[in-house]
């Protein structure tokens, strides 16, 4: 059984912490995964130098369901494309991909670990597809991978269902269960309450807990920092918060906060200067703004806010009234 | 003795909470207090409609020390200028100004309350000028004003000095003692520890505690929300976080969070659309950015970061190395 790391403080040395860079995967939702090869290679190098523990390259999306001509290659993460960046990845950083329940031909597209540069399969599921998630988890475990599971949109689920899902996942072979704030609606008080629940199952079944936060209410970093103290150990972040809509917990905030000497913010600062500044200048838009706050407050999917931003609307109050109408 | 409101939750109705709008005062540090009259009048109306409890108009700065030709009128907040906006202010919202120790001719410039539209004098002091702050507080109390005190830069002070300062202020006539995160360096864990200390003195002497947070690490709202639960009741915010450097706790986040039915975010959303969007388009720059994060992490004054932004530099890592050299 895992020892629960309760009572960590700001200066605690916490070797169980793992920083997971999701820049390409969550960021790919902003630019349909069309990243320049140079961006990907330099991010890989920067993450290694920064002490990042896992780098997520993108999705293992089904080519039956999604048109390969409409997305960049990191939507599909062919092993050969990953290898073209990482070679045999003879580094301390592990390679991750995300596999969505119902959107991934995992039996065919996820090879045996011994033939793949990937270390970790991150299964993403809604609460009503947990049995399918577990099927994927067991398949990936058998193939030799580490696994994590993201239960998405739990802020819309009732606590009884969350409890049941955690119990099922506890009994599976998954290594880490993620607390996911899909809509950026959780206040620190709520994030702590949920982390407590997740950690309870984790301790019982010898699992780890992770957090994946969104920045709708400028709380992605705050919520991450808060649950670290409680013993949550897999921490998702993206460089400059690059990610859908309001984006994610920024790597530079997280690495500036963590006290483990293995982490360094310097390589990330250099990467921002050389690759994120030009990305913004090229017109890619993400990050906190009023419409994302409003969907966050109302615990709604950010798609309406993303549309509002695309249309360059600024009638925030009218937008809020529209959201309230559909509440 | 005050009852300590420990154990508040997200849905608690907390009638002791007071929202203090500092948009003109902290925002004036960005544009040297040159706000259009229309901006000020509309902000006053929006705050009233939003249920804001106090609106801070600016500083009562000394005209001996500062050249009136180099700043807009809200650096000085002549009573006649406030009256030109608020008339006799026959509303439920009170009027505040800030008076800096050593930069305010308070004996001359702060009139008797009965002759002034101002309700609250906010005394700002460093920890080494507490006796001067108390002289100002007592003068203002005698003149009939409510008073609060901001102890600035406490993240650079040792805890023994903070304890001594709180004790002295506890024995003064001040109504509210502010926990101020001048450099945006406090993590929620630290903000809670300090709030606990401030609340202890407040309970002992029958005072209230306030919080004034900066957004260097995207924690201004998070820290504010965290200490509200503990019983901190005076909450500073600015519309869209307008304020020096990285800015402040955004009013729209705070009003979206507070559950007291007296508050409404709608008037603030309308104000953002009509007045903040054009202000940004006019070239006024504020808000979270990497250089502010770096001064925040290092618990330093943001002036170097402000200069970095003015020069439109993006060599973040070199800047961080410069800051570390001067640490």
């Amino acid at each position: 059984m895992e020892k629960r790391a309760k009572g960590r403080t700001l200066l605690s040395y916490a070797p169980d912490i793992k920083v997971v860079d999701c820049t390409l995967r969550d960021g790919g939702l902003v630019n349909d995964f069309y990243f320049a090869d140079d961006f990907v290679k330099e991010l890989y190098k920067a993450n290694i130098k920064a002490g990042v523990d896992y780098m997520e390259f993108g999705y293992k999306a089904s080519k039956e369901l999604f048109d390969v001509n409409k997305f960049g290659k990191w939507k599909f993460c062919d092993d050969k494309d990953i290898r073209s960046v990482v070679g045999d990845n003879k580094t301390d950083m592990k390679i991750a991909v995300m596999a969505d329940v119902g959107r991934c031909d995992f039996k065919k597209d996820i090879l045996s670990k011994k033939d793949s540069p990937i270390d970790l399969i991150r299964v993403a599921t809604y609460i009503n597809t947990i049995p399918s998630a577990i099927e994927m988890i067991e398949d990936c475990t058998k193939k030799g991978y580490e696994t994590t599971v993201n239960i998405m949109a739990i802020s819309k689920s009732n606590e009884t269902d969350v409890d049941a899902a955690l119990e099922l996942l506890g009994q599976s072979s998954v290594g880490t269960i993620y607390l996911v704030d899909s809509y950026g609606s959780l206040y620190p008080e709520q994030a702590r309450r949920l982390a407590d629940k997740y950690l309870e199952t984790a301790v019982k079944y010898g699992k780890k807990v992770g957090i994946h936060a969104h920045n709708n209410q400028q709380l992605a970093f705050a919520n991450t920092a808060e649950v670290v103290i409680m013993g949550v150990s897999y921490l998702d972040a993206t460089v400059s918060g690059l990610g859908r809509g309001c984006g994610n917990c920024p790597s530079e905030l997280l690495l500036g906060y963590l006290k483990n000497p293995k982490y360094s913010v310097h390589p990330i600062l250099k990467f921002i200067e050389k690759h994120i500044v030009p990305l913004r200048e090229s017109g890619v838009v993400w990050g906190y703004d009023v419409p994302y706050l409003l969907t966050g407050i109302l615990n709604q999917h950010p798609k309406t806010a993303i549309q509002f931003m695309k249309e360059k609307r600024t009638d925030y109050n009218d937008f809020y009234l529209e959201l309230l109408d559909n509440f």
Side-chain angles (χ1 to χ4, degrees), chain A:
Chain A
M1 190 183 282
E2 295 285 319
K3 191 163 152 256
R4 179 140 168 208
K6 236 184 160 164
R8 266 182 205 166
T9 70
L10 206 51
L11 294 176
S12 298
Y13 177 71
D16 61 311
I17 286 174
K18 306 290 177 198
V19 172
V20 181
D21 169 68
C22 314
T23 307
L24 295 181
R25 205 269 308 158
D26 221 317
L29 298 172
V30 182
N31 69 351
D32 291 334
F33 304 88
Y34 286 113
F35 290 103
D37 287 348
D38 187 45
F39 184 100
V40 177
K41 282 181 185 164
E42 293 300 317
L43 178 62
Y44 172 69
K45 288 185 203 163
N47 278 331
I48 291 168
K49 284 189 190 158
V52 165
D53 299 279
Y54 292 86
M55 175 169 164
E56 187 182 38
F57 272 71
Y59 285 96
K60 273 277 184 194
S62 164
K63 291 177 186 172
E64 313 271 317
L65 292 176
F66 297 97
D67 184 344
V68 293
N69 298 311
K70 288 187 178 162
F71 297 95
K73 56 191 167 191
W74 306 110
K75 171 96 174 171
F76 306 99
C77 283
D78 288 347
D79 283 18
K80 71 168 172 46
D81 288 325
I82 295 177
R83 271 200 212 283
S84 76
V85 178
V86 311
D88 289 332
N89 187 36
K90 295 194 179 306
T91 75
D92 290 334
M93 185 172 74
K94 293 182 176 175
I95 307 301
V97 295
M98 183 160 274
D100 272 349
V101 166
R103 296 180 177 189
C104 169
D105 304 320
F106 62 95
K107 289 181 188 169
K108 177 167 66 78
D109 290 343
I110 298 179
L111 311 177
S112 177
K113 163 69 195 115
K114 69 177 168 36
D115 302 321
S116 171
I118 300 166
D119 301 283
L120 167 65
I121 307 289
R122 289 161 44 99
V123 174
T125 179
Y126 291 101
I127 203 153
N128 61 330
T129 53
I130 295 281
S132 303
I134 291 177
E135 187 195 18
M136 287 173 70
I137 289 164
E138 300 307 340
D139 181 76
C140 294
T141 302
K142 267 185 212 141
K143 286 173 176 163
Y145 293 97
E146 298 175 35
T147 58
T148 62
V149 62
N150 282 17
I151 321 172
M152 299 184 290
I154 49 147
S155 55
K156 293 254 194 199
S157 306
N158 66 58
E159 293 191 13
T160 311
D161 288 347
V162 174
D163 288 340
L166 290 174
E167 194 59 30
L168 285 170
L169 291 167
Q171 293 167 25
S172 80
S173 65
V174 79
T176 302
I177 305 173
Y178 264 84
L179 169 52
V180 183
D181 184 12
S182 297
Y183 305 141
S185 66
L186 297 180
Y187 295 106
E189 162 179 7
Q190 298 170 307
R192 283 195 299 269
R193 209 182 307 141
L194 282 163
D196 199 59
K197 187 192 281 297
Y198 280 55
L199 283 162
E200 206 174 296
T201 302
V203 168
K204 184 170 160 194
Y205 290 106
K207 316 279 187 205
K208 301 283 189 185
V209 176
I211 182 160
H212 183 87
H214 282 284
N215 210 27
N216 297 63
Q217 304 195 71
Q218 301 192 359
L219 290 170
F221 169 56
N223 283 339
T224 302
E226 278 301 286
V227 299
V228 169
I229 300 171
M230 299 173 69
V232 170
S233 50
Y234 278 61
L235 312 178
D236 285 10
T238 70
V239 178
S240 291
L242 182 61
R244 187 173 61 184
C246 64
N248 297 65
C249 173
S251 308
E252 56 276 23
L253 269 81
L254 185 62
L255 293 170
Y257 169 71
L258 294 173
K259 302 299 173 235
N260 296 18
K262 72 168 290 201
Y263 298 121
S264 168
V265 75
H266 292 290
I268 302 301
L269 295 176
K270 284 187 185 171
F271 184 83
I272 293 172
E273 176 184 346
K274 289 195 187 140
H275 297 279
I276 297 290
V277 171
L279 191 70
R280 276 203 200 274
E281 283 171 354
S282 78
V284 178
V285 176
W286 74 95
Y288 170 82
D289 209 327
V290 173
Y292 302 120
L293 160 65
L294 299 175
T295 60
I297 291 175
L298 297 178
N299 190 18
Q300 291 187 9
H301 195 286
K303 62 193 168 196
T304 50
I306 293 168
Q307 187 58 29
F308 179 97
M309 291 294 292
K310 269 194 186 151
E311 292 171 8
K312 298 189 187 299
R313 286 173 61 183
T314 57
D315 54 329
Y316 304 114
N317 191 54
D318 288 346
F319 176 63
Y320 196 37
L321 293 173
E322 289 166 23
L323 292 176
L324 286 166
D325 268 349
N326 298 308
F327 194 42

